[in-house]
Amino acid sequence: MDELPPRSPEGDAAPEREGHAEQPRVPVFNMPSGILAALALLAVIYAAQSLILSASAAEWLAVTFGFLPLRYVYPLAEQGLEWLWTPVTYSLLHGSLEHLAFNGLWLAAFGTPVVRRIGNLRFVVFWIASAAAGAAVHAAVNWGQPTILIGASGVVSALMGAACRFAFGSSGRAVSHYTGLQPARLSIGEALSLRTVRVFIIFWFLGNIAIALGLPLFGDLAGTIAWDAHIGGFLFGFLLFGLFDPVPGRNQSF
């Protein structure tokens, strides 16, 4: 049974303490609206895939909106326009609930500080560009292959790379905490000079290299993880974050 709080002798309503203002309400989901909207969109699309669409319709959705390197072997004029939108739309599809949950957790963790810094509109542009970057690297590695790439992992990896440029290190966190201001964007060299960033990047790349070699880091999912799209997204976010960052860098570099 739940334990009820003690009641006031004068009634159900607790007396207000003099000189104490009412505490502001803390939001249930302390994330930017852009991240919440992205998570909701991914969840709705997956629910439609798994609960509403038939097997044949779900297969059509994956082929029509998933990214296939095989498409680019043939002349673009002789096919539909799927080659144009699939480098982005693949990032909205997921193959399983575990796949969606994994990407959703990392999207919330790394997307939140990035979106708070760049805003929702830039986040949409960042999503489109980083998804395309991940697809481009995947196509280069799997050129002409009939594989279908789906999932937001490339975008999540780009957000990880972007976060390395401002969110790591005690100084950046202290500036944000005590002043409410965003810390200056680190240059690529400054970011790499931080031990925290170097260790994070090393372990991140080692994990993806292990996946590429077929080591069973994630059980049955390991064979379906697009490590190349991860690397393309991460490099995009880390190297080109300055194109999306409204906060000036220390030396105005990317």
Side-chain angles (χ1 to χ4, degrees):
M1 294 179 66
D2 295 332
E3 184 180 354
L4 298 177
R7 298 187 174 213
S8 167
E10 300 179 7
D12 293 337
E16 292 186 5
R17 294 186 179 179
E18 235 181 89
H20 286 268
E22 185 179 350
Q23 294 295 325
R25 291 186 176 181
V26 178
V28 177
F29 298 105
N30 192 19
M31 288 183 285
S33 58
I35 294 296
L36 292 174
L39 292 172
L41 178 61
L42 296 179
V44 168
I45 292 175
Y46 179 74
Q49 286 177 255
S50 57
L51 301 177
I52 299 176
L53 298 181
S54 64
S56 58
E59 182 179 356
W60 171 86
L61 185 73
V63 172
T64 305
F65 294 97
F67 181 77
L68 283 78
L70 181 62
R71 281 197 177 100
Y72 302 90
V73 175
Y74 301 97
L76 302 181
E78 297 179 4
Q79 54 180 300
L81 293 177
E82 288 84 356
W83 63 270
L84 181 61
W85 63 66
T86 53
V88 176
T89 56
Y90 80 90
S91 63
L92 304 177
L93 305 177
H94 289 85
S96 67
L97 186 59
E98 293 79 9
H99 189 198
L100 174 63
F102 187 82
N103 281 340
L105 288 173
W106 289 112
L107 175 61
F110 285 92
T112 293
V114 174
V115 175
R116 283 178 178 161
R117 184 179 178 97
I118 70 176
N120 292 331
L121 181 58
R122 285 187 176 92
F123 172 56
V124 172
V125 179
F126 183 90
W127 185 296
I128 293 171
S130 59
V137 175
H138 179 75
V141 174
N142 301 275
W143 186 252
Q145 297 298 315
T147 58
I148 300 180
L149 173 66
I150 59 173
S153 303
V155 175
V156 172
S157 298
L159 292 168
M160 292 179 176
C164 290
R165 299 289 299 277
F166 70 94
F168 286 69
S170 58
S171 59
R173 290 193 298 268
V175 168
S176 179
H177 177 75
Y178 289 109
T179 69
L181 301 175
Q182 291 286 356
R185 182 179 68 256
L186 300 174
S187 69
I188 294 172
E190 289 170 335
L192 292 175
S193 69
L194 295 177
R195 183 176 181 274
T196 306
V197 173
R198 291 199 307 272
V199 170
F200 177 80
I201 292 177
I202 289 171
F203 276 94
W204 188 91
F205 270 93
L206 287 177
N208 280 277
I209 291 172
I211 292 170
L213 296 175
L215 298 181
L217 297 182
F218 299 95
D220 294 337
L221 289 176
T224 61
I225 294 176
W227 58 271
D228 37 29
H230 295 183
I231 291 176
F234 187 91
L235 291 176
F236 175 90
F238 183 73
L239 299 177
L240 300 179
F241 177 62
L243 296 175
F244 304 88
D245 187 14
V247 182
R250 293 180 180 177
N251 54 13
Q252 302 298 322
S253 68
F254 284 159

